[in-house]
Amino acid sequence: MLNEKVICAGFGGQGVMSMGQMLTYAGMIEDKQVSWLPSYGPEMRGGTANCNVIVSDHLIGSPIIVDDATCAIVMNLPSLDKFEADLAAEGRLLINSSLIEKKASRDDVTAYYIPANEIAIELGNDKVANMVMLGAYIELTKVVEVESLHKAFMKVFGERKAHLIDINMKALEKGAEAVR
């Protein structure tokens, strides 16, 4: 039974909201039950940002994730410190090792260290680090199809950013490679 509860977290400007929206739209495209609950710090950029995403094959009672996340995707150290505790036992912790040197403190979760920023820079656009992390998550869980993410890109970013589809799809693939 599918019931993924994901926390995407980082600072403003890292694309954590976009990551969550992409996952949510991809789930909608596949006729799954989804929720997306954003939370912002008071700053526009550089402040804290996180979102709770649920992708399920049954109705979702509440979009809030507390102490039972199946995965936390953390892009910076404050997010690791804050959200590691919200993972359920045997959950997955995806850590952007480009910006976080600290290791997971729990031994009842599986941690993956993904150098998302370095991979994004190798691709030629440091702004796709979030898609590297999303690609790693999709590879580990298979919660949605990559093709659905391709379709979701247009829903989230629109025609104005259509020229960025290719690099984002490459970032998803590189993220998947990082955890294979």
Side-chain angles (χ1 to χ4, degrees):
M1 178 163 49
L2 175 66
N3 193 35
E4 281 292 307
K5 296 180 176 186
V6 185
I7 299 170
C8 303
F11 54 77
Q14 285 187 302
V16 295
M17 298 302 174
S18 303
M19 189 179 353
Q21 287 177 318
M22 291 272 295
L23 181 56
T24 303
Y25 273 111
M28 286 172 47
I29 289 166
E30 295 180 9
D31 292 324
K32 294 176 178 162
Q33 301 294 314
V34 297
S35 71
W36 176 72
L37 182 65
S39 176
Y40 303 89
E43 306 87 354
M44 286 295 276
R45 289 208 175 267
T48 59
N50 67 81
C51 62
N52 292 345
V53 176
I54 301 175
V55 180
S56 182
D57 58 8
H58 60 275
L59 291 176
I60 298 166
S62 171
I64 299 170
I65 300 171
V66 179
D67 298 333
D68 64 346
T70 57
C71 183
I73 303 171
V74 295
M75 299 293 288
N76 65 356
L77 182 58
S79 297
L80 174 62
D81 291 339
K82 182 174 182 178
F83 294 107
E84 183 176 12
D86 287 337
L87 276 169
E90 299 183 25
R92 293 180 178 98
L93 179 59
L94 278 65
I95 297 172
N96 178 4
S97 61
S98 296
L99 301 180
I100 305 169
E101 292 181 15
K102 182 178 175 181
K103 300 298 181 196
S105 62
R106 294 177 56 184
D107 59 8
D108 65 339
V109 299
T110 304
Y112 300 87
Y113 301 92
I114 302 143
N117 289 72
E118 279 94 344
I119 292 170
I121 290 167
E122 288 171 13
L123 289 169
N125 186 336
D126 63 345
K127 293 185 180 190
V128 298
N130 61 336
M131 292 298 115
V132 171
M133 296 296 282
L134 183 58
Y137 170 73
I138 298 303
E139 178 66 20
L140 293 169
T141 63
K142 310 290 191 214
V143 67
V144 294
E145 300 293 325
V146 174
E147 182 57 36
S148 298
L149 288 169
H150 187 273
K151 292 175 185 173
F153 186 90
M154 292 306 292
K155 292 278 190 192
V156 174
F157 296 104
E159 281 296 323
R160 188 172 58 89
K161 302 263 179 142
H163 65 283
L164 297 172
I165 289 176
D166 287 344
I167 193 158
N168 278 275
M169 295 303 110
K170 287 177 184 169
L172 288 169
E173 177 55 32
K174 290 291 186 181
E177 288 174 11
V179 294
R180 281 191 192 127

